[in-house]
Amino acid sequence: KGLKLSLNTWASVMSSFASRGVEGLSSVEKLHKLFQSSGPVLLEREDFHPAMQLASEAGDLEHVADLLHDMVCKGFEPQEDSYTLVFKACRRHGLDFSTKSFAEKYFCAMMSTGIEPKASTLSEMDKVVGKPRRSFLTQYLGQRIAPMEINDQ
């Protein structure tokens, strides 16, 4: 109580617990709730990605979407890694139909703004909706992305 941690410290601690897999998941969710209750103030562009990383580690779709929205409202354009964190949140949340639709919505938003995803972003999206669906979306949106080999894990 009374201890103020930097966003990067929060993100590092959460990533450490998340890397433990299922056994660290309850700790990640508890830490994420504690982070949200601490009332973080995000003023600069560099504040948003660590906060989004926290939400993505916890699989909190609503929070990661709110953070992305807040970033845009403050005049900061989302970058590729902003969307990668959204897709990571989807994967951690669970792969039901609504989560896949959520990921597709943000993938379409990313592509329509001209962001050309790198292999790591495509891989994260593939883990949510599958490579055939992501490829279809890419073609549908008319983007020309250089063919990349992505190892499905």
Side-chain angles (χ1 to χ4, degrees):
K1 190 163 182 150
L3 177 65
K4 291 284 186 185
L5 299 175
S6 74
L7 287 169
N8 287 327
T9 301
W10 277 105
S12 295
V13 170
M14 293 273 286
S15 291
S16 175
F17 278 106
S19 69
R20 296 180 183 174
V22 175
E23 67 185 47
L25 196 53
S26 66
S27 297
V28 168
E29 290 168 353
K30 288 175 188 173
L31 283 170
H32 179 63
K33 287 178 184 172
L34 182 62
F35 168 74
Q36 284 182 292
S37 69
S38 73
V41 178
L42 308 177
L43 301 174
E44 303 296 328
R45 172 188 288 283
E46 57 271 5
D47 294 337
F48 283 92
H49 284 165
M52 289 177 70
Q53 182 180 352
L54 292 168
S56 72
E57 294 290 358
D60 189 337
L61 299 182
E62 185 177 333
H63 191 212
V64 79
D66 287 346
L67 288 166
L68 189 63
H69 177 76
D70 291 349
M71 181 191 322
V72 171
C73 287
K74 290 195 179 192
F76 305 121
E77 286 186 32
Q79 300 167 338
E80 180 194 12
D81 52 348
S82 309
Y83 291 101
T84 303
L85 290 168
V86 171
F87 306 143
K88 184 177 182 178
C90 291
R91 181 173 50 84
R92 292 202 181 270
H93 180 77
L95 301 179
D96 59 18
F97 179 77
S98 64
T99 303
K100 290 179 181 184
S101 295
F102 183 90
E104 287 184 9
K105 174 178 129 179
Y106 282 93
F107 185 76
C108 290
M110 177 186 73
M111 297 292 285
S112 69
T113 59
I115 296 173
E116 192 169 307
K118 295 180 184 122
S120 59
T121 301
L122 295 173
S123 176
E124 202 62 57
M125 182 63 177
D126 290 350
K127 291 173 188 172
V128 178
V129 300
K131 189 173 183 175
R133 178 66 180 163
R134 192 264 309 152
S135 294
F136 168 78
L137 291 170
T138 302
Q139 289 176 342
Y140 179 77
L141 294 168
Q143 298 292 322
R144 292 191 177 126
I145 297 176
M148 298 180 203
E149 271 308 307
I150 299 174
N151 295 330
D152 292 322
Q153 296 175 356

